[in-house]
Amino acid sequence: RFSDYKGQTFEVKSSRKQSDKDSVVTSFIVPDDGAKVQVDWRVRNKGGSYKVVDIVVEGVSMSQTQRADFASVIQRGGGKIE
């Protein structure tokens, strides 16, 4: 999904603690022309290192979008996961 942004500038603006394990890093993709694109990275501390657990692009959560896509596929299959 990020392939359209090759070569643009990437700015990290801030980070904030969201819970005991999670933090959110706010960044922007800065195109050569046009508006900046806000990208928030939710990261989780696992065993002393941080792992990305969700990416929110312009307010749209990638994990929620993926979950909705999976639910739609399961419903089309009659509710059977296999």
Side-chain angles (χ1 to χ4, degrees):
R1 295 185 184 243
F2 289 107
S3 63
D4 292 340
Y5 296 106
K6 290 180 184 175
Q8 278 83 13
T9 303
F10 183 80
E11 297 177 351
V12 176
K13 286 296 185 182
S14 65
S15 64
R16 67 185 183 282
K17 193 167 185 164
Q18 192 172 38
S19 68
D20 287 341
K21 293 183 179 181
D22 290 0
S23 296
V24 174
V25 177
T26 297
S27 62
F28 291 90
I29 296 172
V30 183
D32 295 332
D33 57 351
K36 293 181 179 182
V37 177
Q38 183 172 342
V39 181
D40 291 333
W41 308 80
R42 187 164 54 98
V43 294
R44 181 167 293 154
N45 188 344
K46 291 187 176 187
S49 65
Y50 286 89
K51 307 289 182 186
V52 175
V53 294
D54 192 15
I55 301 171
V56 180
V57 180
E58 291 293 316
V60 179
S61 166
M62 303 304 273
S63 67
Q64 289 179 352
T65 300
Q66 188 175 31
R67 189 176 308 128
D69 289 347
F70 284 139
S72 175
V73 168
I74 291 169
Q75 281 183 332
R76 283 195 309 262
K80 297 179 182 179
I81 294 176
E82 62 275 348

